[in-house]
Amino acid sequence: MSQRRNESCACGSGKKYKNCCARPVVEDVESLLRQAWDKHSAGHLPQAAVMYRDALRREAQNVDALYLLSCLLRQQGDLRAALPLAEAALRLQAATPELHFNLALIRQALGDATAALQGFRQALALNPQYVEAANQIALIELQAGNFEQAAASCRHVIASNPDDLSANQNLGIACLSLGRDEEAELAFRAVTRIDPGLVEAHVNLGALLRAAGRVDEAVAALSRALQINPSFPEALINLGIAYKDQDRFVEAEASLARALEIRPDHAEARHNHALMLAMLSDYRQVAAESDAALDLKPDAALIWEQRLYVHSYHPDLSAATIYAEFKRWGDRFPLPETNFTNHDRNPGRRLRVGYVSPDFRRHTSRFFFAPLFAHHDHRELELYAYSNVAREDEFTQQFKGRFDHWRNIRGIDDPAAAQMIRDDRIDILVDCCNHMRDDRLGIFTLKPAPVQVTWLGAAWTTGLPMVDYVLFDPVIAPEGTLTRERIIRLPHFFVAYQPPDDTPEPSPPPCLSKGYISFGYSGRSERLNHRTFKVWGEILARLPNARLILDFGPFADPPTQQYYRRFLAEHGVDSGRVIMRKSANIFEGLADIDILLDCFPHSGGTMLFDALWMGVPALTLAGRPPVGRIGASLMSNLGLPEWIAQTEDDYIARACRFATDRGGLSNLRAGMRQRMAASPVMDGAGFARSVESAYRTIYEAWARA
């Protein structure tokens, strides 16, 4: 987002000479100052400076000369010389708002935001119509993250001047940060009306519309920005992200690559380009692009979030290398000072458990939240939800009924949210997001609860020493699994699954009617890579009549299809036998698939559960723990260990063997739902009891320590 300053004249006061600090002056000095001001206004700064100093030699206490020379020196960047002159002018005439404004500008440029803010406020108090002062207040408050105060200052300006460009621009940014999308949109649209040629305005509007899920409108706004300036990096970056949201991956990568041609040192372009390469399943430059972004901005939270995300899927990095990055991120945060001396250590009482998530909504996490929250024993646990949901929906309302207390922490900063948790006297705080989008791990760095746990989300480590435990199971996390947290291995499975209510009934395997086997994959493209394609290519080579269905958003985009056909062919896949599409209803689309092929070295997630619920067996590879063994744990808990391969060659052999057993596929499909319902995979009550037992155990351990 682009913030705007507002200085309407050379000295920054918004006034012309003689109206700045009007006072009686010696006639020859006044004439000299008028001449100096003419030079100053025309940009002849060295000549003007000589004349201002001449005026001060004639009248050392001349406020106008002190003031205007300080303005000139500030313009030249000589802040140390400008400061005492501005201070001297203010001592002589403290009731003049322009003098406070000028001194505040100098202090702001020197990095003293607190003193600058005080000066701008004093100027505004002396002249409530001082638009420039109100805009500078808004700018400082924005930079400090004080969005409410920034918005108030902008509204103050707009009340008297609705067409003030800076106020509308900065109001939009403040409201966007506060989650007030409607007010932000009105402000940004006002800017595009006031100055239709201002490229930043269209970029900001586009970013807002994209964040609101109105991606088509966002693309239109960002395309307009590029019509104004085809080489504006922020427009290209935001357009690339919008294209990603539309599943137009090839165009997204091209837009980001173009931004990097223009600005190779643009950190946001680098890390988004790394993400897009991963989403195109091409990891050759992902780590290098991510490294470059981090070198440019080592402390940027979003860069770190996306870095850990793409590293988790990287096919050529070891678990140890990936874990080291999570740990490196976690080590950036100092251990907080905590005092739980007065916390109730009675281990037998009803425990207060808080769940933190942005996904209490229409999100795949709901399939795993629902069975746990529905079966928690409220006699044992007092449940608190700390919701970071951006836009609540009908599922949010359903989840609210599962908790004893609901806290909305969206827009509340980490220290304030942590204090809320302390005030609630939470015993165990549970992160349900990990390093996925909109995480609130910053709260956990402050350790507001005596025991902290991570579960679900990215299904690996947070990397934080302040998080005490992670909930896994024996298969997903065998001995030697690398996590910063201590591992709690639940007895059977690390989640319970509850499918949607409106899924169709499973149909017979399509191979019975088509005469050939259809393998399929229905998950995210960043989980695919040269290793999976090589293995899948070999499977198709050994089964000349088989087909492969890739069923996910980007596979329906024509340019992305063309890219994948080339990419698959490079890795030995007969792309003529690959069907690419996006099913409107994935559960109906699964009816066309005989065998789901799991990805590796990172397993699939929800796609495995969806496929199995539709009767489609999933062939998985027990890869690097923990995220490479989700499928292995799932198939073990279903009593189907034969569907777990141990090596890539084993994976190929099993796929070919299962493809020839059509009777076995038919029997499996017919009985899969009953198998799931009778297994730990869908035992919500049993899963809740195991989680509650774990909570009781870890809290007792803390209480005894």
Side-chain angles (χ1 to χ4, degrees):
M1 291 291 178
S2 297
Q3 303 164 356
R4 290 189 63 82
R5 298 180 181 271
N6 188 0
E7 295 186 23
S8 56
C9 73
C11 64
S13 69
K15 307 291 185 181
K16 297 298 185 183
Y17 168 67
K18 192 61 176 171
N19 292 324
C20 292
C21 323
R23 61 182 290 277
V25 294
V26 177
E27 183 61 32
D28 63 337
V29 172
E30 181 177 1
S31 176
L32 181 59
L33 286 175
R34 287 186 183 280
Q35 295 175 50
W37 173 251
D38 289 341
K39 295 288 187 184
H40 190 166
S41 299
H44 304 304
L45 302 189
Q47 298 96 315
V50 170
M51 298 171 77
Y52 286 144
R53 290 191 172 96
D54 189 14
L56 284 172
R57 280 193 293 273
R58 301 184 192 190
E59 187 181 349
Q61 301 298 304
N62 186 293
V63 174
D64 282 339
L66 289 166
Y67 167 63
L68 292 170
L69 180 57
S70 71
C71 290
L72 184 150
L73 292 170
R74 174 174 56 79
Q75 285 178 268
Q76 291 181 318
D78 193 353
L79 301 173
R80 295 297 176 187
L83 181 63
L85 295 169
E87 291 172 334
L90 189 61
R91 284 194 296 270
L92 292 168
Q93 202 165 304
T96 304
E98 288 80 11
L99 300 184
H100 287 279
F101 183 83
N102 177 53
L103 180 57
L105 284 178
I106 294 169
R107 286 174 168 162
Q108 184 181 31
L110 286 168
D112 191 347
T114 302
L117 187 60
Q118 182 180 357
F120 291 132
R121 284 177 174 161
Q122 185 61 40
L124 191 62
L126 290 166
N127 177 6
Q129 301 305 312
Y130 205 150
V131 167
E132 292 86 354
N135 274 325
Q136 290 298 329
I137 291 169
L139 188 65
I140 292 176
E141 298 287 21
L142 270 182
Q143 292 170 341
N146 300 325
F147 302 117
E148 288 285 6
Q149 296 91 322
S153 291
C154 293
R155 293 190 194 101
H156 178 89
V157 174
I158 294 169
S160 58
N161 186 2
D163 288 344
D164 186 279
L165 194 66
S166 296
N168 279 286
Q169 182 86 318
N170 292 333
L171 177 62
I173 296 168
C175 289
L176 183 62
S177 301
L178 291 166
R180 298 172 188 163
D181 291 355
E182 290 184 9
E183 188 176 1
E185 182 179 351
L186 288 173
F188 288 145
R189 289 198 183 279
V191 177
T192 62
R193 173 182 55 78
I194 296 163
D195 185 355
L198 183 65
V199 65
E200 293 93 335
H202 298 279
V203 172
N204 286 346
L205 178 60
L208 165 68
L209 293 168
R210 186 194 64 79
R214 295 157 61 185
V215 184
D216 292 346
E217 294 176 76
V219 168
L222 294 163
S223 298
R224 172 61 183 146
L226 288 168
Q227 288 173 0
I228 298 168
N229 183 352
S231 298
F232 196 71
E234 283 72 19
L236 289 161
I237 293 166
N238 279 280
L239 183 61
I241 298 170
Y243 281 153
K244 172 183 71 68
D245 292 345
Q246 289 183 319
D247 294 326
R248 297 163 65 179
F249 284 6
V250 167
E251 291 166 280
E253 189 276 333
S255 187
L256 292 162
R258 172 62 181 148
L260 284 172
E261 289 176 6
I262 298 164
R263 281 279 308 278
D265 62 343
H266 203 302
E268 285 72 20
R270 286 280 169 206
H271 77 81
N272 278 294
H273 192 234
L275 177 63
M276 281 316 308
L277 290 174
M279 296 184 90
L280 285 166
S281 312
D282 184 355
Y283 280 86
R284 287 173 293 186
Q285 295 299 318
V286 167
E289 286 285 67
S290 180
D291 288 346
L294 199 64
D295 287 343
L296 290 164
K297 285 192 176 180
D299 296 319
L302 184 58
I303 290 177
W304 267 108
E305 178 186 294
Q306 291 188 354
R307 176 180 179 81
L308 296 176
Y309 181 79
V310 297
H311 273 60
S312 295
Y313 292 115
H314 203 297
D316 301 319
L317 299 179
S318 68
T321 299
I322 299 169
Y323 169 70
E325 284 301 302
F326 279 87
K327 188 173 181 294
R328 178 184 168 200
W329 174 82
D331 286 341
R332 296 168 58 249
F333 301 94
L335 291 174
E337 294 184 8
T338 59
N339 185 353
F340 296 110
T341 304
N342 296 323
H343 201 90
D344 188 346
R345 291 176 180 260
N346 176 7
R349 64 178 171 81
R350 187 185 186 203
L351 296 178
R352 293 188 180 94
V353 175
Y355 287 95
V356 183
S357 177
D359 298 326
F360 299 134
R361 57 185 175 91
R362 182 182 291 277
H363 184 272
T364 54
S365 292
R366 73 184 189 273
F367 301 135
F368 310 103
F369 285 157
L372 175 62
F373 298 156
H375 290 96
H376 262 321
D377 187 344
H378 289 252
R379 296 168 300 179
E380 292 289 320
L381 305 180
E382 186 175 358
L383 296 181
Y384 290 73
Y386 296 96
S387 170
N388 198 43
V389 172
R391 291 170 184 81
E392 295 188 352
D393 56 25
E394 69 274 18
F395 293 102
T396 309
Q397 301 309 313
Q398 292 175 21
F399 283 128
K400 286 182 178 181
R402 299 299 186 186
F403 288 87
D404 301 296
H405 310 275
W406 187 272
R407 308 280 191 251
N408 185 358
I409 60 171
R410 187 77 181 187
I412 298 176
D413 65 21
D414 292 339
Q419 188 57 52
M420 182 188 299
I421 292 163
R422 292 188 195 97
D423 292 342
D424 287 336
R425 300 186 67 78
I426 295 299
D427 300 306
I428 300 174
L429 189 66
V430 185
D431 156 57
C432 303
C433 182
N434 202 286
H435 287 278
M436 303 297 280
R437 183 176 179 180
D438 284 344
D439 74 76
R440 294 304 300 269
L441 289 174
I443 296 171
F444 288 78
T445 67
L446 303 174
K447 196 69 185 285
V451 180
Q452 299 194 146
V453 177
T454 186
W455 168 71
L456 200 63
W460 202 347
T461 184
T462 63
L464 290 172
M466 307 84 167
V467 178
D468 306 289
Y469 297 96
V470 58
L471 300 182
F472 283 143
D473 63 51
V475 176
I476 194 174
E479 290 299 323
T481 298
L482 297 169
T483 62
R484 195 72 182 266
E485 306 82 1
R486 283 168 282 180
I487 296 173
I488 297 292
R489 294 179 175 86
L490 301 174
H492 302 291
F493 201 27
F494 81 109
V495 293
Y497 172 67
Q498 179 177 306
D501 296 329
D502 55 352
T503 54
E505 289 296 316
S507 57
C511 62
L512 300 182
S513 58
K514 294 181 177 179
Y516 58 82
I517 286 289
S518 295
F519 294 103
Y521 175 82
S522 58
R524 295 199 298 270
S525 56
E526 59 266 36
R527 288 175 170 163
L528 303 176
N529 54 73
H530 61 94
R531 290 174 57 184
T532 51
F533 291 146
K534 180 181 177 182
V535 167
W536 292 355
E538 180 61 25
I539 292 170
L540 292 182
R542 296 188 188 185
L543 299 169
N545 294 321
R547 303 289 188 274
L548 173 63
I549 298 172
L550 301 179
D551 194 346
F552 203 63
F555 298 123
D557 174 54
T560 305
Q561 286 183 347
Q562 293 176 15
Y563 161 83
Y564 268 104
R565 293 203 183 281
R566 291 193 301 271
F567 194 64
L568 288 164
E570 289 173 10
H571 294 90
V573 179
D574 181 356
S575 60
R577 289 192 280 148
V578 178
I579 300 161
M580 300 188 202
R581 70 187 192 191
K582 177 187 178 182
S583 292
N585 183 315
I586 189 56
F587 292 98
E588 294 177 359
L590 285 161
D592 296 331
I593 297 172
D594 294 291
I595 297 173
L596 191 83
L597 295 177
D598 195 7
C599 46
F600 56 85
H602 192 305
S603 288
T606 307
M607 75 158 188
L608 298 173
F609 295 85
D610 293 345
L612 291 160
W613 184 244
M614 293 306 299
V616 182
L619 175 61
T620 190
L621 174 64
R624 62 188 180 209
V627 290
R629 300 176 67 88
I630 297 171
S633 182
L634 174 56
M635 301 310 282
S636 293
N637 276 281
L638 289 176
L640 296 170
E642 65 273 21
W643 286 84
I644 306 170
Q646 300 302 318
T647 66
E648 293 178 8
D649 287 342
D650 186 26
Y651 185 104
I652 295 167
R654 288 173 189 265
C656 295
R657 185 168 73 251
F658 291 138
T660 61
D661 184 7
R662 299 186 181 185
L665 291 176
S666 186
N667 291 334
L668 257 183
R669 202 173 183 108
M672 190 67 79
R673 284 195 176 179
Q674 292 75 15
R675 180 186 291 272
M676 291 182 75
S679 76
V681 173
M682 293 183 65
D683 182 8
F687 178 69
R689 298 294 82 77
S690 68
V691 170
E692 290 162 0
S693 176
Y695 289 164
R696 186 69 61 182
T697 298
I698 61 181
Y699 192 74
E700 288 177 355
W702 174 80
R704 290 194 304 267

